[in-house]
Amino acid sequence: VKPLLGRQADPADLIEDKRATWSVLWGELQYNHESLLKAMRMALLDDGPESYLPHLTVEDLRAARRTMKANTGRGVDAGGPTDLATLLVAAEQELLDMMMAWENLGTWPWQLQLALIVLAAKPQGGERDIALLAVLVRLYGRLRHTPLRDWCAKRAGFWDTAIAESQPLRVALARSLKLEAYQALGLD
């Protein structure tokens, strides 16, 4: 029996408390799947996917695989980077062909759309949710990171002032601390 909100609680109560808390955040989304796909295709087809998505090679796959940490958490597929290293050359090419087919369809197979959610404890209390994706989804992200980043940069509007690789919260907290320090020192 563990404490829950300052009292002893049954493990079933702990689980129910977590379910109630997280179901608000992970509740069912309400959107029209077909209209979302249509909008995505329209955005991507302005100059054709071949103009910004280079053809993938087996060497691209191997290079992307080498950037993955070997001891990373495993998703619902229970696969990891070390499993990808055991693929034969023919299997690597087949995997690339499948990934390019998924790109053309604009969707993943349902098995890859699942994520394993882990609730990691925070040092100050509470929990942080972490989604563990299938290894093929993570590999694809590494394969397409650069061309998609470049595509986004070319299409950024004048209103888009986000800085690549920045940590906005850290910057905001640093500014807030600086302001408080100036006020405390009487240097407003």
Side-chain angles (χ1 to χ4, degrees), residues 28-37 113:
E28 188 151 335
L29 297 176
Q30 301 296 320
Y31 66 89
N32 182 319
H33 184 71
E34 289 303 316
S35 64
L36 180 63
L37 274 177
Q113 295 180 29

Side-chain angles (χ1 to χ4, degrees), residues 34 41 72 147 162-163 173 187-188:
E34 289 303 316
R41 286 190 178 116
T72 187
I163 300 169
L173 291 173
L187 302 172
D188 348 327

Side-chain angles (χ1 to χ4, degrees), residues 64-177:
R65 185 187 66 225
R66 285 191 296 269
T67 67
M68 299 173 82
K69 294 179 185 175
N71 61 348
T72 187
R74 293 173 180 251
V76 293
D77 62 350
T82 53
D83 300 315
L84 295 172
T86 64
L87 293 176
L88 301 172
V89 174
E92 289 174 323
Q93 186 58 56
E94 187 69 26
L95 177 58
L96 289 173
D97 293 344
M98 285 190 306
M99 286 181 163
M100 287 187 278
W102 301 334
E103 281 181 350
N104 291 332
L105 289 171
T107 188
W108 295 98
W110 69 266
Q111 296 89 340
L112 298 181
Q113 295 180 29
L114 302 174
L116 181 63
I117 306 297
V118 176
L119 299 176
K122 291 182 179 179
Q124 294 81 18
E127 296 165 325
R128 178 171 61 103
D129 55 322
I130 300 171
L132 299 176
L133 303 175
V135 69
L136 296 182
V137 174
R138 293 182 297 161
L139 177 65
Y140 177 83
R142 290 175 184 264
L143 280 165
R144 291 304 195 194
H145 174 75
T146 300
L148 290 179
R149 184 192 60 216
D150 295 345
W151 182 85
C152 290
K154 282 195 269 184
R155 285 156 182 80
F158 65 90
W159 62 86
D160 188 358
T161 59
I163 300 169
E165 310 297 329
S166 72
Q167 297 177 355
L169 179 60
R170 187 172 299 214
V171 171
L173 291 173
R175 284 183 187 153
S176 179
L177 177 62

